Amino acid sequence: MTMKPNFFALLIVSAVTTMAGCTNPQSTPIVQSAPCENPVTENDVLAAQESWGKAIVAIGKAENPQAEAQSTLDRLYGYDLGTVLFKPTLASDDPFRGTEKEALSYFVGGSISEDEGFALAPFNNVRFENEGIITQCNTATSMGEYFFTKTDGSEIKVEYTFGYVRDENGDLKINLHHSSLPYQAQ
């Protein structure tokens, strides 16, 4: 008994082979997406990271830290665009902050009892060391470590992943903020 090749199985194998970067002798057409008009670049991400670091320093030095933190959330986070996934470093009782009000509480204290105001430390500097940056049209994702320099010169190392999206004005806004302390074996 001879088996006939399954047309759909061949089509799937052909598509997977083409997507994996292999050549297809049958020249299966590849669908291209529309060109991106204002793609996010690596330099855009680096500038956004610098702005975020300066904003954290500014919150801790501000005469009115709550107003400064609110301004930071308005300028740098995409709450006005939709959902922002926020998982801050020093949060265990309420590890995910689903609203802008909860993010504000993390930075300066307030509505969540475990929050002591992370950005009030104060810090003199925040620097990023990226493991990598992925850009795709109007979005980007970066991952690595950032270092918070305290006023006594000591540094705190934190691991992070940030997601970015371009708004209608062309500004990069954070729509994913995940950070955690490095794993330590016990």
Side-chain angles (χ1 to χ4, degrees):
M1 173 172 160
T2 60
M3 297 186 73
K4 295 181 182 178
N6 181 325
F7 173 75
F8 293 108
L10 288 173
L11 184 61
I12 290 170
V13 168
S14 175
V16 168
T17 303
T18 300
M19 289 187 290
C22 299
T23 59
N24 180 1
Q26 298 173 352
S27 298
T28 302
I30 298 174
V31 178
Q32 293 184 335
S33 59
C36 187
E37 293 184 23
N38 190 10
V40 175
T41 67
E42 187 171 318
N43 285 336
D44 292 331
V45 173
L46 296 174
Q49 290 174 340
E50 184 177 346
S51 293
W52 188 89
K54 287 180 178 179
I56 295 302
V57 171
I59 292 168
K61 294 181 177 182
E63 192 169 306
N64 184 342
Q66 182 157 354
E68 188 69 31
Q70 184 63 60
S71 173
T72 295
L73 289 167
D74 293 342
R75 284 182 298 108
L76 302 181
Y77 286 78
Y79 288 100
D80 59 331
L81 303 174
T83 301
V84 173
L85 302 175
F86 191 139
K87 194 302 186 193
T89 309
L90 302 174
S92 61
D93 295 337
D94 190 358
F96 302 100
R97 306 305 168 85
T99 67
E100 186 172 2
K101 180 180 177 184
E102 291 172 336
L104 180 65
S105 177
Y106 179 72
F107 285 129
V108 294
S111 64
I112 298 175
S113 62
E114 72 178 317
D115 292 340
E116 296 180 13
F118 166 75
L120 301 176
F123 299 107
N124 285 336
N125 188 45
V126 178
R127 67 181 172 84
F128 283 76
E129 288 186 8
N130 293 299
E131 175 65 24
I133 297 173
I134 300 170
T135 61
Q136 186 173 16
C137 193
N138 67 343
T139 66
T141 307
S142 62
M143 177 185 281
E145 297 169 329
Y146 46 10
F147 298 82
F148 297 83
T149 306
K150 292 179 148 185
T151 55
D152 66 4
S154 63
E155 277 191 330
I156 301 167
K157 178 172 74 169
V158 180
E159 299 166 343
Y160 79 91
T161 302
F162 276 21
Y164 301 92
V165 63
R166 224 185 254 296
D167 70 8
E168 65 278 355
N169 298 320
D171 297 323
L172 220 50
K173 298 280 187 103
I174 298 166
N175 66 354
L176 166 68
H177 173 148
H178 180 279
S179 60
S180 57
L181 293 172
Y183 172 76
Q184 294 181 357
Q186 295 181 11

